[in-house]
Amino acid sequence: MSESSMTRPRAAAVHHTSLGVDNRKLGVWAFIGSETLFFATLITTYFVFAPVNRMRPDFQDPRKFLDIELTTVLASILLASSLTMVLALSAIKRGDRRWFTTWLLATVGLGLAFIGGQAYEFNHLYHEGLTLSSSLFGTTFFVLTGFHGTHVAIGVIWLLSVFFKVRAYPDSPENPMDVEIAGLYWHFVDLVWVAIFVLVYLI
Amino acid sequence: MVIDTLQLSGIIPLETSCNFSRIIRGGCPGYSRKPYWRGTTLSVAQPHPRASRAGAWRGAFMNMLPRFLLRWSRFLLLIGMSVVLAACSNSPGNTYDPHGDNARRIYELLIPIWWMALGVFVVVEGLLIYAIWRFRRRSDSSATPAQVHGNIQVEILWTIAPAIIVLVITVLTFRTQAANSVIPEDALRIKAIGHQWWFEFQYPDAGADGKPIVTASDLYIPVGRPVTVVLESQDVIHNFWVPKLAGKTYMIPGKTNYLSFTAEQPGIYRAVCAEFCGEAHALMRFRVIAVDEAEFNRWLAQQKTPPPTPAGTLTVNGLTGDAARGQAIFLDARKQCIACHAVEGTNARGQIGPNLTYYGSRQTIAAGVLPYSPENLDRWLREAPKLKPGNLMSRVLTPQWIRQNLSDQEIADLVAYLDSMKVSVTLPPER
Amino acid sequence: MAGHREEHGSHVHGEHSHSDRFYWLVAGVLAVVTALEIGLFIINEQHLIAKWLEVTLLLILSTIKGAAVVMFFMHLKGDAGIFKFVFLVPLAFATTLFLSFMVLFSDHVGIAG
Amino acid sequence: MAIAERPAETVSLPRVNVRPGWAGWLSTTDHKRIGIMYLVSAFVFFLIGGIEALLMRIQLGTPDNTFLTPDVYNQMFTMHGTTMIFLGLMPLNVGLGNYMVPLMIGARDMAFPRLNALSIWLFIFGGLMLYVSFFVGGAPNVGWFAYAPLTQKQFSPTAGVDYWIVGIGLTGVASIAGALNFIVTILNMRAPGMTLNRMPLFVWMQLIVAFILIFAFPVLTVATIQLLFDRHFGTRFFLPNLGGDAVLWQHLFWFFGHPEVYILILPTMGIISEVLPTFSRKPIFGYAFVAYSGVAIGFLGFLVWAHHMFAVGLGPLANAFFGAASFLIAVPTGVKIFNWLATMWQGSLNLTTSMLYAISFIGMFVIGGISGITLASPPINVQQTDSYYVVAHMHYVLFGGAIQGIFAGIFYWFPKMTGRMLDERLGKWQFWLMLISFNLTFFPMHLSGNAGMPRRIYTYEADMGWGLWNLISTIGSLLLAVAFLIFLWNVLTSLRRGPIAPADPWDGATLEWAVSSPPPVYNFAVTPRVRSRRPLWDEKYPHLVNGSHEAPTARPRSPLHDGFEREIPAVMEPIHLPSPTYAPLIVSVGITILGFGIIYLGDFGLIAASAMLVGLLIMAAGIFSWVRISHIDSPHHAHHGV
Ligand code: HEA
Ligand code: HEA
Ligand code: CUA
Ligand SMILES: [Cu+2]
C-alpha cells in the first residue's frame, strides 16, 4: 500500500473539485496574489522616497552602502534554492524519498544561508552608519528587505514542517501537494528577491 | 405550449403563490409538505400553531400601507421644504450663500448637478414607490407572475442613460475646476500657517524692513482683489475653510498648497479648520475680514508700525489694570509670556504662540473660543486649560502656576496692556 | 474507488511535470541572466551607456528571470487557468499601484488644487 | 429533475462529533456555527459602536454642550468608525456569507474549516484588543483613517494608536484568511452543475468581495506596519519634519479605504439580489448584468481612491482623473438599481420585513449614491469634504444601504439559521421606526454640512445655525436605538417562542432552502446536482421552466470541459466532517499575545520580548496540533485507516 501511494500519489491528491484543482494549491496561489500587493506597497514606498532621500541633508547614497558582491552571492543563493526546491518536488513526485530529503534540506540550508548573509549585511550596514533612523534610505531599505527576510524565515519554517510531516507520515498521499504548496511560497519569496535585487541594488 | 402561452399571458391562472403562511397552513397546491430531502436529512419540524397569526395581521397591514406611504411622502415633502429653507437661510457658514468667486463658481456648478440628481432621485424613488403600490401582492390574487429573465435592450438603455448624465457632469466639473485652480499673477499673497490649534497669517514683505507682518486668527483681505493664500502647517494636517468665500484646502506639514479667491463683498466671514487635528480641533476657528482696498491698505500701514508705548488703565471685573505695568509683566521672562509670544517693537520674540501685536483689535480670543473683550481676555488668562483643553499655553499657565506667579492685579495689568494695542479699522458687517 | 480516482487524476492540470534536466537548464539560464545583470551594472559604473538604457535593460533582464521562475519553477505555464488569474490580476493591480504612485509623487503633476 | 437523485439508503450519515456546550463552540470547525459566532460577536460590537454614536449624538444635540470632554468625544468617533466598519459591518457580511455560501453552492463546509475557525478567533481577539485600549490609557483618538502625522508619538503619545494598529492588524489577518477561504470554497467546492453562471448572486458578490479584500488589505497592513515602525523603531515614513510624507499615508490608506467601502456594500447588494426575486416571485432581472456590474464596481473601486483627497492639493490633473473615474461607478451601480426595479416590476410583491428592508435599501442607497456623485466632483467636494455632508453620505450608504441590506438578509435567513421564525409584526414596527428615525438622524446632516458644519467637532457655537439640524439628528438617533431594542427583543423571544420554521418558508429558489431549518451538520446528505440558476424553484415548479424566458444554457462540449459537469461517482462517498479542534483557538491566542508584545516592545523591551516568546510558543503548540489533526482528518487517512 505504502509503495503504491508513493509511486502513484497524484491520482488521489486531488478530490473532485469544481475546477479540478487542489483546494490548498488554489488557496496558496491566491495568498501569493495577496502577498504581491504587500511587497508592491513596500517597493512603491521605497521608490517614493528615493528622490526625497537624495535631496535631504542627511542623504545616504545607496550605491555607497550596498555591496554588489555580497548581493550577488545572496541572489545566487536564493536562485539556487529555487532550483533545489523544484528538484525536491520532482523527487517526491517520483516517490524518491532520498533525493527528496537531500534537495529539501539543501533548500532549507540555502534559505538559512540567505538569512545569515542578510544578517551579516545588516550588521555591516549598521556599523557603517545606516540604520532605520539614519536616513530615508535606511528607513525604506531595512523595512523592505527586512520583511523579505522575515518571509524567507517563515519559508524555512514551513519547509521544515513539511520535512518533518513527510518523515512522520511517509505514506500520506498528500505529501507531494504539501511539498508543492510550500514550494510555491518559496519560489514566490525568491521572485520578490529578483525584483528587490534589480530595483534596490542595481538601479 | 399553448397552455404555457396562455398561462404566461395571464389568461389561465398560474400556480398559486406559496408564501410562508400558506405553506404552514398546508394550503399550497403543487407544493408537497413532504419534501424530497425529508427522507435523507433531519425531518422538517411541524410549524407552531401560533404562526398562523401572521396571516391575520398581514391583511391589516396591507390596508395600512398606502396610508403609511402617504404620510411618508408628506414627511419627504417637509424635508424638501427644509432644504429650500436652509438654502435661503443665512447661517454664517452657508455654502449656498457665496460671497467669493471661488465659492460662487462651486455653487453655480452645484445647481445643475442638483437638478440632474433630483431627476435620478425622482425616477428611481418614483418607480420604486409605484412598483410597491402597483405590484404588491393582493390577498385575492394567486397567480405566479411571468418569469421574465431579462432584456438586453433595456439593459443597454439604462447603461447608456446614466453614462450620458455622468458625461455631462464630468464636463461641467472640469470647467469649474479649471476656473477655480487658476492662481492669478497679480494676486495678493498671504501665508497661512496651521498650528495646533490656531491659524497664523503672514503678509510677506509688508512689514518694516521687508519683514512680514505677522498676525493670527483674523485674516484681513481686500475686497475685489484676488488673494492667494499660501498654506503650510507647523505640526499636523489642518484644513483652511471659509465656506462663503472658497472651498477647503489642506495645510500639510512638509507641503505648500495654494488657494486663490476674490472676496466679492466686504464682510466678516466665519472660517474654521475642517480637518481633525487633535484634541481642540473643534475650537480652531478664524475670521476673514474683507474690507475695501483703501481700508485694507490703511490697516496694513498701521500694522507696519510697532504699537506705541502703552499707557492708560482699564477696569476689568472691578480691578483696574495699568497698561504700562502690564507691558513690564509681559516682558518679564519670569512670567513666561515672551517664551512663546511676540509683540513687534519689544523684545518679545517667542515663536510658539500667536503674535500678539495689536491684540486689542482682535475679533476673538484663542482662535474663536471667546469673542474678544477685556473680560473674556481676563478669563482666558485664568482659565486657558478649561476653555481650550489641550492647548499648549495651558501646559505652562496651569491654575497652580498662576496662583504662584500671577496675582489678580498682574492679570488685570496684562489685560490692560494687551487691550491697549489697537489699530483703527471700520469693520464690515458680519456675514 | 480506484476507478473514480483514475477519472479525476486524468484531467488534473499541470500534470506534465518537467524533467530534472530541464530545471537545471532553467537554473542555468537564470544564472546567466543574473551574471548579465551584474555585468551590466559593473560595466556601466563608467557610464558607458545612458542611465535610462541601463535601467531598461536591467528591467527586461529581471522580467525574464521572474517570468522563468513563475512559469517553470512554479509551473504556472501549463497549469490551470485559475492560477494565472489569481496571480496575474493582483500583479496587474500591484503594477497599477506602483506606476500611479510614481506619477502622483513626481514633480510633473501640477501644484495648485 | 430532482436535485438529489440518490435514495437516502445508500448514504451513510456521518457520526456527528460535536462537543457539548461551550466546548463545542470553542472547538467548532462547522461553517454554520462559525457563521453564527461571527454574526453574534459582530452584532455585539455593532451595538457598542451604536452606543458610542449615541453618546456623540447626545453631546452634539445642543450647542456648547459639555456632556463629553473633547478627548472622550474624539475617542468616541474614532472607535465608532473603526468598530462599525471593521468589527460591525464587515464581519456581519462575513457571518452571513460563512453560513449561507456553502449551503447555496451545495457544499458540506468551507474549503478550509480550521482556517475558518482561525479567522473568527482572530477577529474576536482583534476586536477585544481594540477595546482593551480603553483600560490602558485611552482609546485611539485620531479618527478611523488616522491621518499622519497626528498619529505619531509626538502628537498621540498614548498607546491608543498602537492598539488601533494591532487590532486592525489582527482583524485584517482574519479577513484575508477568510477571503482566501471564500475564494477557494466558491471557486472549487460548488456542487456538480453549479457553474459560475448559475451561482446565486449573493455568492457572486461574496466572491468579488473576497478578491477585493485580498488585494486591498495588504496595502493597509503595510501602511500600519510602517506607522508602527515610525512610532517605536525610529523610522520616518510619515514624519514630514524628517523627510517623511504625510500624504503618502493618505494614498496608502485610501488605496485600501475606497475598495473597503465596496467590501462593505457588495455582499448586501448580493443579499438584495436574493431577497427581491424571492419575494417578487420572479427570477432576478438581467442576472449576468447584476453579476458583472459587481465585477465592474470592484474593479473601478481600485481606481478612485484619491477622491477622498481632493482638498490635499494633488493638482488639477490628478483630481480630474479621480473625479471622472468616481463618476463612472454610477454606471454599473445604476445597472444594479434598475435591474432590481425590473425584478420587482410586474412581480407579486410579498412585503415581508425582509422585502421591506430590501426595497428600502434601494430607496436609501440611491440617496447616498447621489451625494457620493456630488462629492466626487472635485470643485464641489472641496466645499463638502470634511463636513457633515460627508457624514450624511456615508451613513446613507453604510446604514441606509449596508445595514438595511443586512437586516433584509437576517430576516430572510433567520428561519434557516435558527429553525424559528422571527415575529413579522415586530419586524415591521422595527422597519418603519428605523426607516423614519434613520432619515431623521442623517438627512439633516446634509443640511448642517452645507451650512458649514465640519465633521469631528465635539462642540459648536449657537449662532452658527446648526442647532436645529443637530437636535433633530439626536432625536432620530435615540429613536434608532428603540428600533434596535425592538429587534433585540424580537430575536430573543423568537429564539425561544417563535414559530418553528419549515425548510422553505419563503418559497425560495436556491439550494439553502432545500435542507431543513436549521440544516444538519453535514448540510446535504447527498450532494445536489444543479441544472439551472434556480435549482429548488425549478424542481418545485417544473411547468414554469419551459415557459421561462431563460435561454437554455448550452451544455459544455465535453463533460469534463471545466470540471463542472462531471458525473457524481456511482458509489456514494461517505461524508467526512472535520473533527472539532482547539488548534485554531490556540494559534490565535498565541498571535494575540504576540500582538500585545509588539505594542510594548519599544517601551518595555525585555518584558515585551518574553511575552512575544510565550506567544510564539503557544502558536507553535497550536500549529503542531493543527497539523496533526488535519492529517488525521484528511480523507486519505480515513480511507486507508492509518
Ligand atoms: C458602503 C459604502 C459606500 C459606498 C457604496 C459609497 C459609494 C460612493 N461614494 Fe462614498 N464614502 C463612504 C462609503 C461609501 N461610499 C464612506 C464611509 C466615506 C467617508 C469616509 C470618511 O471620510 O470617513 C465616503 C466618502 C466619499 C467621498 C469623499 C468625501 C470626502 O471626504 O471628501 C467621495 C468622493 O468622491 C465618495 C464618493 C462615492 C461615490 C461616487 C460612490 C458611488 O459608488 C455611488 C454610486 C451610486 C449611485 C450614483 C446611485 C445609483 C445609480 C443610479 C440610480 C444611476 C443613475 C445615477 C447617476 C447618473 C448619478 N464617497
Ligand atoms: C457601518 C457603519 C456605521 C454605522 C452603522 C453608523 C451608525 C451611526 N452613526 Fe456613524 N460613522 C461611521 C460609520 C457608521 N456609523 C463612520 C465610519 C464614521 C466616521 C468616523 C470618523 O470620523 O473617524 C461615523 C461618524 C459618525 C458621526 C460623526 C462624528 C463626527 O464627525 O464628529 C456621527 C454623528 O452623529 C455618527 C452617528 C451615527 C449614528 C447616530 C448611528 C446610528 O445609526 C447608530 C444606531 C445604533 C444604535 C443606536 C445602537 C443601539 C444600541 C442599543 C439598543 C443598546 C443596547 C444595549 C445593550 C444591549 C446593553 N457617526
Ligand atoms: Cu486644525 Cu482641525
Ligand atoms: Cu471612496
Side-chain angles (χ1 to χ4, degrees), chain D residues 15 35 56 62 111 116 142 171 177 195 203 240 270 315 392-393 462 488 494 506 546 569 619:
Chain D
R15 192 168 51 88
M56 289 194 293
T62 51
N116 205 15
V142 290
T171 57
T195 60
V203 179
H393 160 71
L488 278 180
S494 298
W506 315 118
N546 293 335
M619 230 174 105

Side-chain angles (χ1 to χ4, degrees), chain D residues 388-613:
Chain D
Y388 261 74
Y389 189 88
V390 177
V391 181
H393 160 71
M394 69 169 128
H395 287 91
Y396 265 84
V397 281
L398 287 170
F399 193 111
I403 292 293
Q404 290 206 107
I406 295 275
F407 272 115
I410 287 181
F411 275 86
Y412 186 56
W413 282 316
F414 188 87
K416 179 55 58 189
M417 294 190 283
T418 63
R420 300 272 185 172
M421 306 299 295
L422 280 173
D423 187 325
E424 280 283 303
R425 180 164 39 174
L426 280 179
K428 281 180 187 163
W429 271 103
Q430 174 203 334
F431 168 75
W432 287 109
L433 183 60
M434 199 181 277
L435 181 62
I436 292 170
S437 51
F438 159 73
N439 280 288
L440 273 182
T441 309
F442 296 113
F443 196 87
M445 293 184 184
H446 292 109
L447 309 176
S448 53
N450 281 338
M453 179 162 169
R455 63 193 284 200
R456 297 170 163 184
I457 53 172
Y458 75 96
T459 189
Y460 53 93
E461 291 164 290
D463 64 352
M464 293 308 285
W466 308 325
L468 178 63
W469 306 137
N470 277 284
L471 186 61
I472 298 177
S473 281
T474 300
I475 295 171
S477 67
L478 294 173
L479 289 175
L480 265 181
V482 178
F484 276 96
L485 286 176
I486 295 178
F487 175 70
L488 278 180
W489 174 254
N490 194 349
V491 168
L492 293 179
T493 53
S494 298
L495 273 180
R496 284 192 292 131
R497 286 183 270 125
I500 302 286
D504 181 17
W506 315 118
D507 198 11
T510 38
L511 284 179
E512 76 269 31
W513 306 112
V515 295
S516 63
S517 301
V521 204
Y522 43 83
N523 293 356
F524 299 90
V526 176
T527 302
R529 195 158 201 337
V530 178
R531 295 206 170 78
S532 74
R533 280 181 194 147
R534 297 193 292 169
L536 183 59
W537 176 276
D538 290 343
E539 169 156 327
K540 287 186 290 193
Y541 305 106
H543 58 285
L544 286 179
V545 175
N546 293 335
S548 77
H549 297 194
E550 182 177 26
T553 351
R555 281 182 142 258
R557 263 153 290 134
S558 137
L560 302 179
H561 176 62
D562 53 0
F564 299 133
E565 292 285 334
R566 206 173 311 122
E567 286 303 318
I568 306 179
V571 182
M572 281 298 145
E573 282 187 283
I575 298 174
H576 293 295
L577 290 179
S579 323
T581 165
Y582 293 107
L585 178 57
I586 298 171
V587 173
S588 30
V589 168
I591 296 180
T592 309
I593 296 178
L594 213 61
F596 268 108
I598 289 173
I599 293 182
Y600 293 107
L601 194 60
D603 298 338
F604 305 94
L606 209 61
I607 305 173
S610 24
M612 286 173 75
L613 198 66

Side-chain angles (χ1 to χ4, degrees), chain C residues 4-113:
Chain C
H4 146 221
R5 267 197 217 148
E6 291 270 325
E7 187 198 326
H8 294 300
S10 61
H11 66 276
V12 167
H13 299 273
E15 200 62 11
H16 44 279
S17 35
H18 302 285
S19 68
D20 286 6
R21 257 193 57 168
F22 176 76
Y23 295 133
W24 281 98
L25 199 75
V26 175
V29 172
L30 289 176
V32 171
V33 176
T34 308
L36 281 178
E37 284 182 335
I38 292 161
L40 186 60
F41 175 81
I42 293 174
I43 291 171
N44 209 33
E45 289 198 329
Q46 271 88 52
H47 304 289
L48 296 180
I49 54 171
K51 183 76 186 170
W52 67 264
L53 188 61
E54 184 199 344
V55 169
T56 316
L57 287 174
L58 283 174
L59 286 179
I60 292 173
L61 288 172
S62 59
T63 310
I64 294 173
K65 264 165 73 179
V69 170
V70 173
M71 287 199 303
F72 305 122
F73 285 172
M74 297 168 89
H75 304 106
L76 195 61
K77 183 163 184 280
D79 215 337
I82 187 66
F83 298 138
K84 295 182 186 115
F85 180 87
V86 299
F87 178 64
L88 294 180
V89 170
L91 193 64
F93 278 116
T95 316
T96 314
L97 172 85
F98 180 78
L99 293 180
S100 53
F101 273 50
M102 287 306 102
V103 174
L104 283 164
F105 284 89
S106 75
D107 300 331
H108 302 299
V109 183
I111 32 154

Side-chain angles (χ1 to χ4, degrees), chain B residues 327-380:
Chain B
Q327 186 184 36
I329 297 166
F330 190 84
L331 297 177
D332 178 352
R334 282 168 306 172
K335 305 293 183 192
Q336 296 290 350
C337 310
I338 55 170
C340 302
H341 293 285
V343 172
E344 294 308 318
T346 72
N347 59 5
R349 294 207 180 78
Q351 292 296 313
I352 295 167
N355 186 310
L356 298 180
T357 312
Y358 292 113
Y359 191 72
S361 289
R362 286 289 184 79
Q363 298 301 302
T364 62
I365 291 170
V369 171
L370 297 168
Y372 180 83
S373 71
E375 288 72 24
N376 282 340
L377 183 54
D378 180 83
R379 242 187 104 191
W380 168 252

